[in-house]
Amino acid sequence: MPPASARLTTGLCRRAAAAPAPTPTIVRFQHARGIRCLSSAPVGRLRRPESVRPTCANSCPPVRTPQRCLSTTPAQRYADADDSFDPATIERESDQVDVCIIGGGPAGLSAAIRFKQLANEAGNDDFRVLLLEKAGELGAHILSGAVIEPTAIDELIPDWLAEDNDSRFTGATPAGSDKMRFLTKTMSIPVPAPPQMNNHGNYIISLNEFTKWLGERAEEVGVEVYPGFAASEVLFAPDGSVKGVATNDLGIGRNGKPKNTFERGMEFHARVTLFGEGCHGSLSKQVIKKFDLRRDSQPQTYALGIKEVWEVQPEKFKKGEITHSMGWPLPYDTYGGAWMYHFGDNLVSIGQVVALDYSNPWLSPYGEFQKLKQHPLYREVLEGGKCISYGARALVEGGFQSIPKVAFPGGALIGDSAGLVNVPKIKGTHNAMKSGMLAAEAAWNALKESSNEGSVFLYEYEDSLRKSFIWKELKEVRNMRPSFHTPLGLYGGMLYSGLEAFVLKGRAPWTLRHGPPDHVATKPADQCTKLEYPKPDGKLTFDILTSVSRTGTNHEEDQPVHLQVKDWDKHTAETYPAFQGLENRFCPAGVYEYVEDASKPEGVRFQINAQNCIHCKTCDIKAPHQDINWQVPQGGEGPKYYMT
């Protein structure tokens, strides 16, 4: 029998030749080991929550994302399957690689590139590194501020900005002046910025564009990059070690039954599997639980970052200028801050981060962000401009105290999956990239010296991480974020953080603990002040669906809801009376709502508009009873971010 990779290629070509051309279609080429294939996907529609009314009649253009095209499972035979048919009874195709990486972000791509650099230097061109990314194309699900510290990229690709490098990254704007402001409702008060926030020598970038560029560099050195493949299951060997992952099935209807487009998922087996899914990844949380990786660390704590990209009037553009702010509009007991970065040609990145340990269920991070733009500091820059992009994602804030064990039998956690963001520095990309490189080096050393028998444990990665600049800088700032858990809230945290930044510099003999997990921190609605948010003006502030239309998000409607709630009525009974629709307010995409329904005991019906989801993971983190489980939808679906 030919090897799996050859069988997959043969099946792919056979299907591509036989498949009728869909109408209408967008043709997209995907490259994987020299394979080129045509693919298309049906258009999904944004679901307008019944509580949202548009400010304009314009709707977003349809966005198409490619479905994966490697499975060779015949589909038509299942079109008329009876109700007892179980897709799991169909054997999955499999492929064997040396290293499998889950997630095409900076951590995963840096690991992949470093692997192939080492293998190529050793003359081992056959060393297979495969990367799976759930987005339809690299960078489509990536969002960050972003000011990047070049430490890791300078090491990985030293000529990444060199003028004589035809493949250099051209989207880096050198950081210019730094401003730090404390906001009241109408005032902007200058405050000293901690030394960790000094951006001299850094660059403002679109992480979306940077990730695409890294993907091209990965393919150049021989990494097999598969966008549009959503890894949905961790596979385990008989000895309990991780042996790889499986991608999800396609063509399953909302009723859980296969349609005539059914395709069984694929298995990818590897000696080493690295999880670089970003914040609160669906597979990463499984391996953390399976191997009890948090046994010696505190629980992770999170925040929600909401971002827009604006094209501003040329006279208001100040290339390279960096502004950070704290204070208004957030309440004094809510940790968070905002930014405004001028980059590229007349582009401004603006956003706000709200810690998800906030207590008031009436608070809406999206509403707070809309209020922020009304402040004179931001309004005077944005007014007269045009919003061209929107997005949101959860990010890790636990820092040093919350780093789990990163290695386990058969694999490791890298990047945000390991929680390596430096919150006071407001940066994590350099740490994510370096962790991927360290994991690659440890895995290469383990694989080149071991036989093909038995599982691999990356002891060297655990050790090298602790000796790296990542560990040093996170330990130095370990007390700043938890210092905001005092009765003085924002003001007490600012005072203590100033003491740490300018005097103690991480030398304090104590390590502060974080507060309770984010979902536990939420108080009942009747114990909190109800917050009201102004109606959007459609020019500077926008209703939530108008913003979601700018994400390009797309999900096929007839598929199982990837936001899993076992019992919707039970969820309503346990959550709505106490928190009065918390989910509708913490979600930045209008996914959750409670619709008036007199036939229900609580007078409302819980509804999930899954096609709006922009994969921020907030629901999985903040749901009070932890009964919402975010899982990957079909590969290639979700947002298609631009310049984020």
Side-chain angles (χ1 to χ4, degrees):
M1 177 178 290
S5 57
R7 286 185 283 122
L8 294 175
T9 305
T10 301
L12 166 64
C13 296
R14 182 175 62 250
R15 280 194 328 170
T23 305
T25 187
I26 285 182
V27 176
R28 194 181 302 276
F29 289 95
Q30 291 178 327
H31 298 262
R33 305 201 67 194
I35 301 171
R36 306 180 79 193
C37 60
L38 302 180
S39 64
S40 65
V43 178
R45 296 195 302 273
L46 293 181
R47 178 60 180 264
R48 182 176 301 282
E50 296 184 21
S51 59
V52 174
R53 296 293 178 263
T55 57
C56 62
N58 296 332
S59 60
C60 63
V63 178
R64 300 178 189 273
T65 52
Q67 290 182 347
R68 61 187 170 182
C69 50
L70 291 183
S71 174
T72 59
T73 306
Q76 188 61 46
R77 75 176 73 172
Y78 306 117
D80 301 319
D82 60 36
D83 288 344
S84 64
F85 174 71
D86 181 4
T89 61
I90 306 301
E91 184 178 359
R92 291 186 288 217
E93 294 280 356
S94 65
D95 198 4
Q96 180 71 43
V97 299
D98 293 292
V99 177
C100 182
I101 300 171
I102 315 305
L109 287 166
S110 297
I113 291 169
R114 187 65 185 133
F115 267 120
K116 288 300 292 184
Q117 286 176 342
L118 293 167
N120 295 344
E121 289 168 5
N124 189 349
D125 295 340
D126 294 329
F127 188 85
R128 293 188 63 192
V129 179
L130 181 141
L131 183 145
L132 302 177
E133 166 55 41
K134 65 183 176 66
E137 56 186 58
L138 290 183
H141 292 179
I142 288 286
L143 180 144
S144 183
V147 176
I148 184 174
E149 183 177 304
T151 318
I153 186 62
D154 283 346
E155 180 183 348
L156 184 66
I157 307 175
D159 62 346
W160 71 291
L161 292 178
E163 290 293 332
D164 59 352
N165 176 12
D166 293 337
S167 298
R168 68 185 180 277
F169 181 64
T170 58
T173 299
S177 61
D178 269 313
K179 296 180 181 179
M180 184 69 184
R181 298 290 186 265
F182 183 84
L183 304 184
T184 67
K185 187 172 183 179
T186 58
M187 297 176 61
S188 171
I189 305 169
V191 294
Q196 291 83 6
M197 294 178 67
N198 185 340
N199 285 298
H200 178 72
N202 295 335
Y203 297 89
I204 307 171
I205 63 168
S206 156
L207 198 60
N208 162 267
E209 294 296 306
F210 183 69
T211 300
K212 292 178 184 178
W213 176 83
L214 273 180
E216 293 169 357
R217 306 291 76 75
E219 290 183 327
E220 286 177 355
V221 295
V223 178
E224 302 172 43
V225 180
Y226 290 123
F229 277 64
S232 62
E233 179 184 348
V234 183
L235 304 176
F236 296 96
D239 65 358
S241 63
V242 171
K243 75 168 184 177
V245 297
T247 60
N248 58 4
D249 296 337
L250 290 181
I252 301 293
R254 196 177 180 92
N255 60 1
K257 303 301 179 183
K259 302 182 291 187
N260 60 4
T261 56
F262 172 73
E263 292 180 5
R264 191 74 167 102
M266 290 183 58
E267 294 186 2
F268 293 94
H269 303 166
R271 297 290 314 285
V272 172
T273 304
L274 299 184
F275 294 85
E277 301 174 285
C279 173
H280 206 64
S282 55
L283 300 187
S284 301
K285 65 184 182 183
Q286 292 179 35
V287 296
I288 288 173
K289 182 177 181 180
K290 165 80 173 178
F291 296 106
D292 194 18
L293 300 181
R294 291 205 180 279
R295 59 187 177 274
D296 298 323
S297 66
Q298 294 180 33
Q300 187 59 262
T301 184
Y302 303 89
L304 174 62
I306 300 178
K307 174 180 180 175
E308 291 176 348
V309 179
W310 284 69
E311 185 176 0
V312 301
Q313 295 174 335
E315 63 271 19
K316 297 181 179 180
F317 180 68
K318 300 176 182 178
K319 191 161 190 166
E321 183 176 273
I322 293 172
T323 301
H324 292 107
S325 69
M326 296 184 71
W328 191 90
L330 297 180
Y332 82 96
D333 60 350
T334 301
Y335 181 81
W339 77 83
M340 182 165 56
Y341 305 149
H342 295 241
F343 73 109
D345 295 322
N346 299 326
L347 296 180
V348 168
S349 161
I350 176 177
Q352 185 173 46
V353 173
V354 179
L356 289 177
D357 60 359
Y358 65 84
S359 60
N360 188 344
W362 298 108
L363 186 143
S364 163
Y366 182 85
E368 297 293 324
F369 176 57
Q370 300 307 309
K371 286 171 63 178
L372 173 78
K373 291 183 290 179
Q374 296 283 12
H375 193 279
L377 179 69
Y378 296 98
R379 173 186 279 276
E380 66 182 18
V381 175
L382 302 180
E383 217 163 28
K386 178 183 179 183
C387 181
I388 62 174
S389 190
Y390 167 82
R393 59 164 287 193
L395 57 140
V396 291
E397 285 198 336
F400 184 77
Q401 293 90 321
S402 300
I403 300 174
K405 298 292 183 183
V406 293
F408 47 85
L413 303 173
I414 58 176
D416 276 7
S417 291
L420 304 179
V421 172
N422 186 325
V423 175
K425 186 180 277 192
I426 319 180
K427 292 175 183 63
T429 302
H430 65 300
N431 286 346
M433 295 179 69
K434 181 62 175 178
S435 70
M437 295 157 64
L438 292 174
E441 291 163 0
W444 170 253
N445 290 335
L447 294 179
K448 73 177 183 180
E449 296 173 359
S450 67
S451 66
N452 290 327
E453 301 297 327
S455 62
V456 174
F457 196 102
L458 301 182
Y459 295 102
E460 182 184 326
Y461 174 44
E462 287 275 7
D463 185 56
S464 62
L465 182 65
R466 282 161 175 75
K467 294 177 180 177
S468 70
F469 66 75
I470 301 172
W471 203 261
K472 180 179 182 296
E473 72 171 53
L474 292 182
K475 185 175 182 181
E476 182 177 305
V477 301
R478 69 190 183 280
N479 288 328
M480 292 190 184
R481 174 64 183 91
S483 72
F484 287 81
H485 290 294
T486 71
L488 293 177
L490 176 64
Y491 309 113
M494 288 180 64
L495 289 172
Y496 182 85
S497 294
L499 177 66
E500 280 279 359
F502 293 103
V503 180
L504 298 176
K505 298 182 178 179
R507 295 188 295 265
W510 56 80
T511 296
L512 301 180
R513 296 186 63 84
H514 293 298
D518 296 342
H519 68 279
V520 175
T522 314
K523 295 180 179 179
D526 60 8
Q527 297 179 17
C528 301
T529 302
K530 188 171 184 179
L531 303 176
E532 301 288 349
Y533 293 96
K535 182 179 179 180
D537 59 21
K539 298 178 181 178
L540 194 66
T541 60
F542 309 100
D543 72 87
I544 203 164
L545 192 68
T546 297
S547 292
V548 175
S549 72
R550 296 189 176 112
T551 68
T553 198
N554 171 64
H555 295 85
E556 182 182 355
E557 292 189 47
D558 187 15
Q559 64 174 301
V561 176
H562 67 280
L563 304 158
Q564 300 172 353
V565 178
K566 288 184 179 179
D567 188 327
W568 291 22
D569 288 336
K570 181 181 179 182
H571 174 90
T572 304
E574 292 181 345
T575 308
Y576 185 79
F579 303 105
Q580 293 294 299
L582 166 71
E583 305 92 326
N584 183 48
R585 291 183 288 274
F586 68 49
C587 176
V591 171
Y592 300 98
E593 61 179 324
Y594 287 94
V595 181
E596 291 186 7
D597 188 337
S599 68
K600 297 292 184 179
E602 292 78 20
V604 293
R605 169 174 46 85
F606 185 52
Q607 182 165 299
I608 301 177
N609 305 314
Q611 56 270 44
N612 289 21
C613 181
I614 56 176
H615 300 196
C616 74
K617 316 287 182 63
T618 304
C619 54
D620 200 319
I621 297 166
K622 190 62 174 172
H625 298 288
Q626 292 293 276
D627 55 351
I628 299 177
N629 182 40
W630 192 97
Q631 281 291 331
V632 290
Q634 294 183 147
E637 298 188 340
K640 188 177 180 182
Y641 286 142
Y642 171 70
M643 293 303 292
T644 57

